[in-house]
Amino acid sequence: MTAARGPGSPRVAVVYPIPFGTNGTYGGGERYALELARALARRVETRLITFGNHPGRSREGSLDVRTYRPLLYVRGERFNPLSFRLAAALADVDVVHCVCWNTLLTDTSVLLARALGKKSFVTDVGGGASLTLRRWLPIDRLVDGFLLIAEKAREQFAQVNSRAKIIYAGIDVERYAPPATEGGRRGVLFVGRLLP
C-alpha cells in the first residue's frame, strides 16, 4: 500500500531525538519511532525527524527521513538536541507526533505545533532528559492527545487521562508471519524488556 496523497490526506511528522541504526542508537525507543513512521507512511504522507552527527535526508519507500545536526545538545544530553531547523521541518505538516515525552525537543515541537495551528500527539517510550520546559510551562495542556503503549502508562499521565488512549505496540504480521509447519506449533516466544 502506498501513502495517500489526496487533498484531504494529512501530512504527519514523527519526531524523535535520536535516529535508529549505525548513525544513531540501536535502542527500543529509536526503533519504535522508525517503525511507527514506516507504518504511518503506508497510509499517509509521513516524515521522520531525528537529530544526530550525520545529517541527511533519505526516502524509505514513501517515508521521508530527515536527520538534522543539532546546534547543540542542551546539557550535553542526546535526548535534548537544539536546532533552529525544527520549525521549518514542521511547517508543512498537519500533525506532529512526538515519541519521547521528557525532552525539550517534544516541548518545542508541541509549542511550534500550537503556534503553527497543527495537531500534536505524544507517545512516551521512556528515557528523556534532565531539563524540560514542563517545569515552567503547562505543555501537557497544549497536546491534543496522548497515545500510550501500555496500561501502566496511565499512572504517569493521570492528569491528562481524558486525552489519553492506549494503543498497544503491535507487530507487522505480514513481515513476521511464522512459516507453515506440518505438525503446527503451540506457544509464543516473547523477547522484550521487563518493565511494567
Side-chain angles (χ1 to χ4, degrees):
M1 180 186 299
T2 59
R5 308 257 187 243
S9 177
R11 292 161 301 189
V12 178
V14 175
V15 181
Y16 193 79
I18 305 168
F20 177 80
T22 56
N23 293 326
T25 302
Y26 286 101
E30 294 77 16
R31 167 66 85 179
Y32 183 88
L34 174 62
E35 295 298 339
L36 172 65
R38 284 176 173 162
L40 285 169
R42 291 195 296 263
R43 303 206 185 282
V44 297
E45 191 174 332
T46 304
R47 174 180 305 154
L48 174 61
I49 299 169
T50 64
F51 298 85
N53 294 328
H54 302 283
R57 184 173 177 182
S58 63
R59 290 207 69 86
E60 185 180 304
S62 57
L63 175 61
D64 177 16
V65 179
R66 298 182 185 187
T67 302
Y68 297 104
R69 183 185 307 275
L71 181 64
L72 63 94
Y73 290 103
V74 177
R75 292 189 174 173
E77 298 172 343
R78 286 194 74 188
F79 276 103
N80 264 349
L82 177 64
S83 172
F84 296 117
R85 309 225 20 218
L86 180 62
L90 299 179
D92 64 342
V93 301
D94 304 301
V95 177
V96 177
H97 187 153
C98 301
V99 184
C100 192
W101 178 231
N102 294 308
T103 67
L104 284 172
L105 178 61
T106 292
D107 296 344
T108 305
S109 297
V110 169
L111 288 169
L112 283 167
R114 179 54 67 108
L116 296 170
K118 297 157 188 324
K119 298 281 186 183
S120 65
F121 295 87
V122 171
T123 297
D124 188 40
V125 293
S130 65
L131 177 67
T132 66
L133 296 176
R134 291 184 304 108
R135 288 177 149 174
W136 304 281
L137 299 172
I139 301 293
D140 60 319
R141 293 184 197 163
L142 304 177
V143 177
D144 291 286
F146 291 84
L147 308 175
L148 309 176
I149 60 173
E151 190 64 42
K152 182 73 175 166
R154 280 197 192 275
E155 293 174 18
Q156 179 185 355
F157 292 93
Q159 75 280 9
V160 296
N161 210 10
S162 64
R163 289 177 285 134
K165 300 264 188 258
I166 303 294
I167 302 176
Y168 294 107
I171 186 168
D172 183 341
V173 294
E174 292 177 16
R175 183 175 179 187
Y176 298 105
T181 60
E182 286 184 27
R185 291 187 181 165
R186 296 179 59 90
V188 174
L189 170 67
F190 170 78
V191 178
R193 297 191 328 186
L194 296 175
L195 294 175

